[in-house]
Amino acid sequence: MTRRLRQACELARQIGAGGAADRERLEGFRRLVAELGPEGRLGLFTWLSEELEVARAGIAGPAAALQSASEDDREAWNAAVRELRRSLASPRQRLFEALINTGGGMQLVLDLRCEVLEAQRQGQAGLEALEEDLGHLLNRWCQHGLLYLEEIDLGSSYRTVRFLKERELVHPMVSLDEMAQRLGRDRACYALYHAAMPDEPVVFIEVALSRGLLRSIDEVIGGAAGARRSAKPPDTAIFYSINSTQNGLAGLGLAQVLILRVTDALRTRYPSLQTFATLSPIPGFWPRYLRPILEGRDEGFRLTREAVVELLSGRLGAALLERRPAAAGTDDDPALALAEVLAAPDWLADPGLCRLLRRPLLDIAYTYLAEETDRRGKPLNPVAGFHLGNGATVSRANLNFAANTSERGLAESSPSPAV
């Protein structure tokens, strides 16, 4: 253990013991955390998980008192419950409570949880209790009374607009001019702020207002966007991009809170709105679902390779075999032919092939979104899981073929359907 790590652990122990959370100790701990670097902080996380847990001796007495208390004596019973509850607060929890109450403390706790989550994704074990403590604390600090909604428009500060442009991950932008296009008369952007961090939004959403559904992302942010301008009141709001700016808030449900608030705000501002929809990408459709199935790796999926082959019969199967790349083999398997055709960068330029592929690919995409589930029974596609969890529905009629033909869209979903 390095000298800095030992010092950080000792300060954490003192602060977690309660009654010692003075400014000097807190500032010293924050400084040491920053100086440790990623590797040193991982050592700190392990120490916090193992050494600042609730001690058995600390809960034995309160637990025994509660067990022996009579429920008929409500005052004694309630006192025993309160004492046990206090004893179950770990020194680790008291440490984080003290930190988050300092200036800039919420950002520090967010950054720490972000690193803990990343360490878990990398396979680091034993951090579950630490992550839960951080998550519960942030969840309490993100109650509705501390969150407020603001619309971002062309009159917003340059700093805010640039911040959102740099944090847009669903449909990245090259220049600020593209951000200006997304804040036009029939476009809107709303952000959720936290009272403890008023300078930067924690999550934001982009909305297209239109007459009827828009069927491709190009109609929203591409060259066709200008042609969609309409003087008529919009009857449809399309949520096409939502982004969290703080990875440390993952899994806390702030995106759902934002959607509900924005829906209410839009209903108030545009009483003509009748439909709320999403135009969302389907990440993973090609590399983690369709391609493995076509190549015979369909274990664990509801959709089988044999079922796909049935969809590729007749004219479509013949067309796929005819159009497969010259370098491919001579095997007459239509599933392999489809995999080879879709892997080529120019298949969308063939109108005849697109007409033949449209229906089977949309059927496969529908199965992926609406029927495929993981081991917990949740939708296999995380984007579908998010929207369906918010009350959305999915139908074959509202799946859009070739709705995102950007390089990124094709890399993630190849046939590029969107919902």
Side-chain angles (χ1 to χ4, degrees), residues 91-353:
R92 187 173 55 238
Q93 289 173 287
R94 291 193 288 270
L95 167 66
F96 294 138
E97 289 277 7
L99 285 173
I100 205 169
N101 279 294
T102 63
M106 184 171 182
Q107 186 63 64
L108 173 61
V109 172
L110 281 169
D111 292 342
L112 291 177
R113 183 168 185 258
C114 180
E115 289 195 47
V116 170
L117 290 172
E118 180 58 29
Q120 288 181 309
R121 284 191 288 270
Q122 297 297 324
Q124 182 69 33
L127 302 182
E128 293 78 13
L130 174 61
E131 191 281 316
E132 282 186 14
D133 283 349
L134 291 168
H136 287 319
L137 177 59
L138 288 169
N139 199 34
R140 294 203 309 274
W141 270 67
C142 288
Q143 297 303 309
H144 290 204
L146 295 173
L147 299 170
Y148 58 95
L149 184 71
E150 284 195 2
E151 182 176 6
I152 311 301
D153 56 27
L154 293 173
S156 298
S157 70
Y158 172 82
R159 182 181 183 278
T160 298
V161 173
R162 184 175 184 83
F163 179 85
L164 297 191
K165 179 258 179 186
E166 292 173 349
R167 299 305 192 281
E168 166 59 86
L169 300 178
V170 180
H171 300 293
M173 290 169 275
V174 175
S175 68
L176 281 175
D177 291 340
E178 295 176 69
M179 189 69 196
Q181 185 187 59
R182 303 188 192 191
L183 303 176
R185 183 162 54 113
D186 59 351
R187 301 291 183 266
C189 179
Y190 288 88
L192 204 60
Y193 286 80
H194 192 283
M197 300 190 304
D199 296 330
E200 296 179 354
V202 295
V203 60
F204 65 95
I205 194 168
E206 295 166 74
V207 188
L209 302 166
S210 64
R211 297 288 294 182
L213 292 171
L214 304 182
R215 295 289 183 175
S216 77
I217 196 62
D218 190 56
E219 290 183 278
V220 177
I221 61 175
R228 301 292 305 191
R229 307 292 178 188
S230 172
K232 296 180 180 180
D235 61 12
T236 304
I238 299 175
F239 301 146
Y240 65 92
S241 180
I242 187 166
N243 295 269
S244 173
T245 70
Q246 300 290 334
N247 292 334
L249 291 172
L252 300 188
L254 293 191
Q256 291 90 332
V257 173
L258 176 61
I259 288 176
L260 290 173
R261 292 200 183 186
V262 170
T263 299
D264 288 342
L266 290 172
R267 286 187 192 277
T268 300
R269 183 171 179 178
Y270 301 100
S272 57
L273 288 175
Q274 300 176 11
T275 302
F276 292 82
T278 71
L279 187 64
S280 301
I282 309 180
F285 177 69
W286 170 243
R288 295 192 296 274
Y289 184 66
L290 181 53
R291 187 168 193 165
I293 290 174
L294 295 177
E295 294 175 349
R297 295 178 282 121
D298 58 1
E299 300 85 358
F301 295 128
R302 182 185 181 92
L303 184 68
T304 64
R305 189 176 191 277
E306 289 72 18
V308 174
V309 170
E310 289 183 15
L311 293 173
L312 305 179
S313 61
R315 290 178 56 203
L316 175 55
L320 289 171
L321 292 172
E322 180 181 332
R323 288 170 171 81
R324 66 192 308 190
T330 58
D331 193 330
D332 60 356
D333 185 335
L336 288 179
L338 177 59
E340 292 158 357
V341 167
L342 294 180
D346 58 349
W347 70 271
L348 275 171
D350 187 332
L353 182 61

